[in-house]
Amino acid sequence: MPFSEDKLTDAALAARLFPDGGEMGSQIRALDWSQTRVGPMRTWPLSLRTAVSIMLGSRFPMMVHWGPELVHFYNDGYATILKAKHPGALGQPAEPWWREMWPFLDTIFEPVLRGETTFFENSLVLPNRQGFVEETYFTFSHSPIYDEAGAVGGIYVTALETTTTVLQQRRLALLSHLTSQTALSARPVEAAQHLMAALATNTDDIPFALLYTRTAAAPEAELRAWFGLPAGEPAAPATVVLNAAQSGKTVWPLAEALAAEAPLLVDNLAERFAPWPDGEWPAPPTQALVLPLQAGVGSISIRHVLIVGLSVRRPLDAAYRDFFNLVADYAGRALARAAATHEAQRLNQALREANASLDSFVHIVAHDLKGPVTNLRSLLDVYHEEAPGPIQDHVLTLLGQEVNRLAGTMQGMLQVLYTQHGAAVPALELVPFAEVYATVQAELADLVHQQRGQLTANFQAAPSVRYARLYLESILKNLVHNALKYRSAERPPVIQVQTRRQGTAVLLTVTDNGRGIDLSRDRQRLFQPFTRLTADGEGAGLGLHMIQTIVQNRGGTLDVSSKLGAGTTFTVTLPDAPAD
């Protein structure tokens, strides 16, 4: 026998209609529905009562929208989806409760109210359920609920939040892309660019990224790669001072992150940097993480810091942090691997060049010593064939000259080996050019006098340089000796030595009025070992090669300008090392 609702209190009626339903069953029974748009429970049509009963009995997250204003009913599963909108959404119209996403919902509700059923899989939804508009994903279905008149009186909503699954797939895809992009990077600069290209495939999670590199104990970190921010602007400066006391709040706190060796969160980006560009979303990112990357075995002198922007539509929860920890780990390994590969290639190339140089040196030595040895044997034969007297004395003189020539050749070879292959580098010191010049002048004084030459010097523009004294003396002596050796037969030699500054370097020039050099013909072979441009004169042709080796090994350059018949100028660029 059907019961009479008139004889039941509102609470008894609610308990009779919806006896179960967990927390939301209790909420629905307790709510004063007379204060809502659907009216007291006694007036509800059977179609609504049935729909709410089915909804409460389901273990799937479900919601019922009822009436022209789509008033909310939902079960426990849907309550977890609503988060901060629960329990306030119960009994309230869909609009303005979902105002932040109403245009999206309206396009869904419209066909359902006409009697259609809709289904969306992993669809992007942007609710405000935690105090900010959030990037979420849902698989959901909307179907019509018919009332007693056969019209659509409401909507069933069945929903499953798939945000975690979608984000995991997207982030795993980035990590996979990062691995494949950087796997074949042979140089650090390529690895840095490939890293940025990989990160740029997921601008939803990483709206921008900056990679800074600090080499050795440099006071600044340099921007090596970036995307999403304009390089050189306040938000992406070309360099960042690593002294925390000097950097201030207007730059990225790289020093703090490196010191802590842990991710560092940076808030209020728009206030910290101005102007601040928009991001992928309508609202620009407001936070970033500063991630110090692992140094890598064998590259401890190089440190990298990766700055990544955070999505303004996702909270920095544990999953988001774990993702960035993996990004930092993958990126650090890729950069370290590229640095190690590049260093190995550099060392292999240096070894190949050293071996080739040594092979060439051995061949040249064998060839260059063959002549003096043959001459010595011939002179010895002549000496033994001649009777004591003037001819034998002359042969003995020639033997002495040939021995001296051979000794000079050997000494030159030893000097080349000394500068090329692993000799200990003399200590740097502040060397006055006048002192070096005085030593060279005294050593070559007899030769200058014999040739009636003139040797002058002017060091006023650059009186000194921090350099190895031994090398500086060798450079100047060889250049002055070359000028005397290749003097013009038509005039006494005039040699001028000068210095001047050029930026942080010192330029040493040695100018002569000798016979000159045909640079169009001889420039390529001028600095090669055992090169002599004329048949006359002494020497093994090692001086210029040795000077160039010394200078280049210490970061300098050796250049030449010349005019046939007029003279030659050699210019040596000497990096002036800073004081300790």
Side-chain angles (χ1 to χ4, degrees):
M1 182 176 179
F3 68 92
S4 173
E5 295 182 358
D6 295 337
K7 296 179 180 180
L8 297 176
T9 63
D10 291 342
L13 177 60
R16 183 72 179 255
L17 293 176
F18 312 113
D20 300 311
E23 178 195 349
M24 290 312 302
S26 299
Q27 293 273 0
I28 290 173
R29 292 192 296 270
L31 186 63
D32 184 1
W33 290 96
S34 65
Q35 302 301 312
T36 69
R37 304 296 177 89
V38 295
M41 199 175 291
R42 296 177 184 277
T43 65
W44 291 5
L46 180 60
S47 53
L48 173 57
R49 296 179 179 184
T50 302
V52 172
S53 180
I54 292 172
M55 176 200 71
L56 288 175
S58 174
R59 294 189 177 184
F60 277 92
M62 290 187 67
M63 173 178 278
V64 170
H65 294 290
W66 187 261
E69 294 173 314
L70 301 175
V71 174
H72 295 129
F73 299 81
Y74 54 91
N75 62 8
D76 287 353
Y78 213 98
T80 61
I81 292 175
L82 293 176
K83 295 187 178 179
K85 288 184 180 291
H86 167 71
L90 184 63
Q92 298 298 316
E95 209 282 330
W97 203 256
W98 298 96
R99 179 164 293 169
E100 74 275 8
M101 49 186 292
W102 187 250
F104 168 75
L105 290 176
D106 196 34
T107 60
I108 294 176
F109 292 152
E110 184 177 349
V112 180
L113 292 173
R114 294 196 305 264
E116 300 177 19
T117 296
T118 62
F119 176 80
F120 298 89
E121 185 175 11
N122 297 329
S123 180
L124 173 64
V125 181
L126 300 173
N128 185 346
R129 54 182 187 169
Q130 300 188 82
F132 65 96
V133 177
E134 181 183 1
E135 177 195 10
T136 63
Y137 295 88
F138 286 86
T139 293
F140 51 81
S141 175
H142 292 70
S143 56
I145 304 173
Y146 293 94
D147 60 17
E148 283 70 12
V152 177
I155 298 174
Y156 267 128
V157 181
T158 302
L160 287 175
E161 184 168 2
T162 59
T163 303
T164 299
T165 300
V166 172
L167 294 183
Q168 285 179 343
Q169 291 175 348
R170 185 172 76 195
R171 293 166 181 174
L172 286 174
L174 182 144
L175 295 173
S176 175
H177 197 63
L178 177 60
T179 301
S180 62
Q181 280 278 310
T182 58
L184 300 178
S185 300
R187 297 185 299 160
V189 64
E190 294 175 351
Q193 296 300 327
H194 290 163
L195 167 63
M196 285 297 118
L199 298 182
T201 61
N202 184 0
T203 55
D204 291 328
D205 284 314
I206 308 176
F208 68 86
L210 309 170
L211 178 67
Y212 284 91
T213 298
R214 178 192 188 183
T215 303
E220 296 179 334
E222 297 181 358
L223 180 63
R224 292 297 174 88
W226 64 92
F227 84 87
L229 290 177
E233 296 295 320
T239 59
V240 174
V241 176
L242 292 177
N243 187 325
Q246 297 178 4
S247 62
K249 293 185 177 180
T250 58
V251 295
W252 298 103
L254 305 189
E256 294 90 329
L258 286 172
E261 295 187 350
L264 186 64
L265 180 65
V266 181
D267 290 306
N268 304 318
L269 297 182
E271 298 176 13
R272 191 180 185 98
F273 303 101
W276 182 253
D278 291 338
E280 189 79 8
W281 301 100
T286 61
Q287 294 180 313
L289 275 180
V290 180
L291 305 169
L293 306 184
Q294 65 171 10
V297 178
S299 58
I300 192 68
S301 61
I302 301 176
R303 294 302 307 272
H304 303 284
V305 182
L306 179 64
I307 302 172
V308 288
L310 303 185
S311 170
V312 73
R313 297 295 187 234
R314 290 298 310 165
L316 185 57
D317 53 19
Y320 208 1
R321 286 185 179 274
D322 289 344
F323 165 66
F324 282 121
N325 288 337
L326 288 173
V327 167
D329 182 63
Y330 278 48
R333 291 176 185 273
L335 293 171
R337 183 173 59 249
T341 301
H342 180 63
E343 180 65 11
Q345 290 176 344
R346 187 191 67 79
L347 292 175
N348 287 336
Q349 179 62 26
L351 182 60
R352 285 193 293 269
E353 291 175 358
N355 288 338
S357 175
L358 190 58
D359 289 344
S360 175
F361 188 84
V362 169
H363 287 296
I364 292 172
V365 167
H367 179 272
D368 204 70
L369 293 182
K370 183 178 180 180
V373 170
T374 301
N375 291 341
L376 286 172
R377 285 176 175 171
S378 299
L379 288 171
L380 280 172
D381 290 340
V382 173
Y383 178 82
H384 290 302
E385 291 172 359
E386 294 291 334
I391 296 178
Q392 195 180 60
D393 292 342
H394 178 66
V395 172
L396 190 61
T397 300
L398 293 178
L399 276 169
Q401 292 175 351
E402 198 65 28
V403 168
N404 289 335
R405 178 187 170 192
L406 182 60
T409 299
M410 294 299 298
Q411 183 62 30
M413 292 175 183
L414 290 174
Q415 286 183 302
V416 170
L417 288 174
Y418 182 88
T419 57
Q420 278 189 333
H421 300 290
V425 178
L428 298 180
E429 56 181 303
L430 187 62
V431 183
F433 281 103
E435 294 182 5
V436 174
Y437 175 75
T439 301
V440 173
Q441 185 183 38
E443 188 172 341
L444 300 177
D446 289 343
L447 186 58
V448 174
H449 179 71
Q450 291 172 12
Q451 298 178 2
R452 302 189 305 278
Q454 181 180 354
L455 179 60
T456 62
N458 184 351
F459 303 121
Q460 292 182 356
S464 60
V465 65
R466 285 187 63 81
Y467 212 73
R469 182 184 292 267
L470 175 66
Y471 288 156
L472 202 57
E473 289 179 358
S474 180
I475 291 169
L476 184 58
K477 182 177 74 173
N478 275 279
L479 289 178
V480 173
H481 190 270
N482 267 4
L484 293 170
K485 183 168 59 176
Y486 293 103
R487 65 192 179 278
S488 172
E490 301 173 357
R491 51 189 175 269
V494 176
I495 304 169
Q496 297 175 320
V497 180
Q498 288 185 312
T499 57
R500 71 178 189 276
R501 287 203 164 271
Q502 186 178 75
T504 60
V506 173
L507 269 59
L508 169 66
T509 60
V510 178
T511 302
D512 65 54
N513 66 338
R515 66 188 68 176
I517 303 170
D518 186 353
L519 294 178
S520 63
R521 182 191 67 187
D522 296 325
R523 180 183 289 274
Q524 295 299 321
R525 68 189 189 98
L526 181 61
F527 300 109
Q528 294 178 3
F530 303 100
T531 296
R532 295 173 60 191
L533 301 183
T534 61
D536 57 335
E538 301 176 353
L542 291 168
L544 289 179
H545 174 69
M546 186 176 65
I547 293 172
Q548 186 183 59
T549 301
I550 292 173
V551 171
Q552 289 184 346
N553 284 353
R554 281 140 196 89
T557 59
L558 174 62
D559 199 9
V560 59
S561 60
S562 187
K563 184 177 181 181
L564 277 175
T568 301
T569 296
F570 285 94
T571 301
V572 184
T573 303
L574 304 168
D576 193 7
D580 295 335

